[in-house]
Amino acid sequence: MRRRLIVGNWKMHKTAAEATALVHRLSELVPQTGEVEVVLAPPFTALHAAAQALPLSRPFALAAQNLHWEDEGPFTGEVSAPMLKDLGCQYVILGHSERRHSFGDDDKKISKKVHAALRHGLRPILCVGESLSDRKKRRTKTVVTGQLRKCLEGISKDELRTLTIAYEPVWAIGTGHAATPAQAGAVHDTLRATLARGWGAEAGEQVRILYGGSVTPENVGAFMASDQIDGALVGGACLDPQSFATIISLAQRVAR
Ligand code: PEP
């Protein structure tokens, strides 16, 4: 059985001091994560503070929200995989729709980022998802499987096992209109079938597929009850410690 994973994407929120306070509060509210793995993704500037604020038992792992595919060089404003490893990151979110739509991250660039992360032992959390117009045109499956295949080109079976996929319909991110568990589950099935076709059923079975898009304490239980959904990528609701702690505790309690 795949271990459930809850990821909090802080986006461009929290100074270093605020990150310290949030990690301390979360550590009080969620002393043990047990069956559920929890990953926090602060902005680059707060990663060090968040790492320092984690208790020795480290109930949470850290993720970055992006990286550059080169290790170093003349890339003003960019941050590389070795730099993130050095800060204590274990994961990196790649291909988030906000990066795809506002910062020119296309499948080719994302693929280079996935390879860079894997080269340095960072576990990618690869986001895929269709726009509202794609969904209306019934192109959801074509779009997400295309993104998956292009972003994972050249990945070995062993590398695939370390990867997490987040299905994030663009129309559900930050809108308050989450997909239904049935809508998400259907796309998750398609994604898993694509993984099985490309890398074999056994490797494909090991990849966690998360749902993301307006996940809240109120709706997370329904997503967790689905055996097609291995966890959640949470944006807005992860900035409030009580909400995020409730989401984690429901992920621990709700049986599939
Ligand atoms: C996200 O940013 O990945 C996300 C899912 O945001 P929200 O939960 O706010 O929709």
Side-chain angles (χ1 to χ4, degrees):
M1 181 59 90
R2 295 175 294 268
R3 189 175 175 211
R4 272 190 186 147
L5 174 59
I6 300 291
V7 183
N9 176 13
W10 297 11
K11 309 195 189 197
M12 198 173 73
H13 293 284
K14 307 292 176 190
T15 61
E18 289 165 348
T20 301
L22 180 51
V23 172
H24 283 159
R25 186 72 188 118
L26 279 173
S27 309
E28 283 162 13
L29 292 170
V30 190
Q32 283 177 352
T33 53
E35 291 306 296
V36 176
E37 187 177 0
V38 179
V39 174
L40 309 178
F44 290 139
T45 47
L47 277 167
H48 179 68
Q52 296 295 307
L54 282 174
L56 278 181
S57 54
R58 287 183 86 87
F60 314 122
L62 285 180
Q65 300 173 18
N66 183 32
L67 55 67
H68 191 277
W69 55 84
E70 295 290 346
D71 292 359
E72 59 179 8
F75 303 104
T76 303
E78 294 292 326
V79 174
S80 73
M83 294 168 181
L84 297 172
K85 275 294 276 192
D86 185 48
L87 281 174
C89 290
Q90 290 164 258
Y91 288 86
V92 58
I93 299 172
L94 294 174
H96 191 281
S97 72
E98 287 155 13
R99 295 222 46 96
R100 288 178 187 264
H101 295 115
S102 305
F103 302 101
D105 281 16
D106 56 20
D107 292 329
K108 208 168 161 193
K109 286 184 188 163
I110 296 164
S111 164
K112 291 206 265 183
K113 293 180 182 204
V114 168
H115 282 275
L118 292 168
R119 244 188 354 262
H120 292 282
L122 280 170
R123 303 182 64 171
I125 300 168
L126 172 67
C127 303
V128 297
E130 83 286 6
S131 66
L132 187 56
S133 114
D134 293 329
R135 179 159 279 265
K136 283 185 176 155
K137 292 180 196 147
R138 301 184 181 279
R139 296 193 67 246
T140 297
K141 289 184 180 178
T142 311
V143 169
V144 297
T145 56
Q147 290 171 337
L148 192 69
R149 274 197 295 259
K150 287 183 204 148
C151 294
L152 298 186
E153 216 173 283
I155 297 299
S156 72
K157 247 186 213 187
D158 282 343
E159 288 172 331
L160 186 83
R161 290 181 225 272
T162 70
L163 219 106
T164 298
I165 309 295
Y167 167 53
E168 297 213 304
V170 179
W171 47 271
I173 297 180
T175 60
H177 300 295
T180 64
Q183 284 173 320
V187 178
H188 286 212
D189 282 348
T190 302
L191 291 170
R192 197 169 295 289
T194 307
L195 294 174
R197 265 197 303 280
W199 290 267
E202 194 254 328
E205 269 306 304
Q206 294 180 27
V207 175
R208 289 182 288 196
I209 306 182
L210 315 181
Y211 167 74
S214 297
V215 171
T216 62
E218 289 71 37
N219 65 20
V220 70
F223 288 109
M224 294 303 104
S226 160
D227 56 13
Q228 296 146 308
I229 299 174
D230 300 317
L233 176 46
V234 183
C238 80
L239 296 172
D240 173 57
Q242 191 62 62
S243 292
F244 196 51
T246 305
I247 287 172
I248 295 164
S249 104
L250 284 165
Q252 283 167 333
R253 291 206 315 265
V254 175
R256 317 199 222 206

